[in-house]
Amino acid sequence: MNSAEWIAKADKYVMKTYGRYPLVPVRGEGCRLWDADGKEYLDFLAGVAVNNLGHCHPKVVAALQQQAATLIHCSNYYNIPQQIELAELLCSHSFADKAFFCNSGAEANEAAIKLARKYSREKYGENRYEIITAAESFHGRTMATVSATGQEKVQKFFDPLLHGFRHVPFDDVPALKAAISPNTCAVMLEPIQGEGGVNVPSPGYFQAVRQICDEHNLLFIFDEVQVGMGRTGKLFAHEHFGVTPDIMTLAKALAGGAPIGTMLARDEVAVAFSPGTHGSTFGGNPLVTAAAVATVRTILEEGILNRTEEIGDYLLGELEALKGKYPFITEVRGIGLMIGMGLAFPAGDIVKKGLERGVLLNVTHDTVLRFVPPLVVTKQEIDRMIVILDGILAEITP
Ligand code: PMP
């Protein structure tokens, strides 16, 4: 079947939850994808920051193949060695002592919300349940994470929302201080807002948040679902800001494209989850954790982090050069390979033209082009994308 036939069938049978671009990818390798008509694309979206090692990285593929032929699923037992090794790898490279595994970013944030409430209630009293999150944040599509999310368009039609979330402007210390009540138990933030438009906070913001949390006995939760796993040139994005959280969530890129989520915490906090308090049938299954172990090892052992920093600077420089050329580009911002280009108008048409010309771009928050290619992207691939983007921008008469 060709792409048009697949799209017609999808329109008939698949619920239309996403605004999908008309692309039917059937094969991927590194930064390249091929559609059902055999057309090749340069991928600067990577499944929204998922395929950090590129499509079908040989080590991830080998881990999945080997594990699939050995044991795929088993719940309620010790999943050795994959889940345990993954927990050790993540804890030994972060502030955390313990890991909980689930299947998505939303689920990881659900776990963080539940853990923060249980820990705080047990320690400080029944009324400690409120969580402060940021305006324009995105934390997922389940009811608790929709309630935590700071975007009305995500919440519309789904009320009543879960009680106990307060939203404050991102990067605003006085607003955060003012939102604290005797009921507050935690502050949950993305180190760089992804769906909010690639928003990088000012230097010192997270240190101030950490201090406020310490003064008021609040837990500091980082949602690293989009920016973790090397995307910014450090394994976890919060490392750029010189602070450590009490809880961190990861998903997307953790298992090289296979579905996974995890919530990590310091021991003192983690013990609030005792047997019977939380869980998920497929969480930490051997198949996905084998892929994640291969992914984390590859990121750590193959110089991916340093490379990301270097190639990210190169991409940022090239995009800044375009900003010098086109006055309707308002800003270029980001760290590593998490980069946003603000435009003076909605960016949807640019993405459509990119698709026609064989490059996958992405728009977030209407007016921001988001560049999140696989971390293995080469300078040549960046150059090719820039030529195509330059051509598209040159046709715009705002
Ligand atoms: N948190 C952040 C910061 C995200 O960007 C996303 C997904 N865009 C999520 C949570 C939700 O992850 P998932 O789609 O895997 O549930």
Side-chain angles (χ1 to χ4, degrees), residues 104-106 109 138-140 190 195 223 225-226 252:
S104 69
N109 287 332
F138 186 89
H139 297 293
E190 296 159 82
E195 304 309 313
D223 175 346
V225 167
Q226 188 161 147
K252 289 192 188 284

Side-chain angles (χ1 to χ4, degrees), residues 2-18:
N2 64 26
S3 294
E5 288 163 340
W6 278 118
I7 289 169
K9 203 187 259 243
D11 285 346
K12 188 161 178 214
Y13 291 113
V14 181
M15 282 200 201
K16 295 181 181 178
T17 52
Y18 287 98

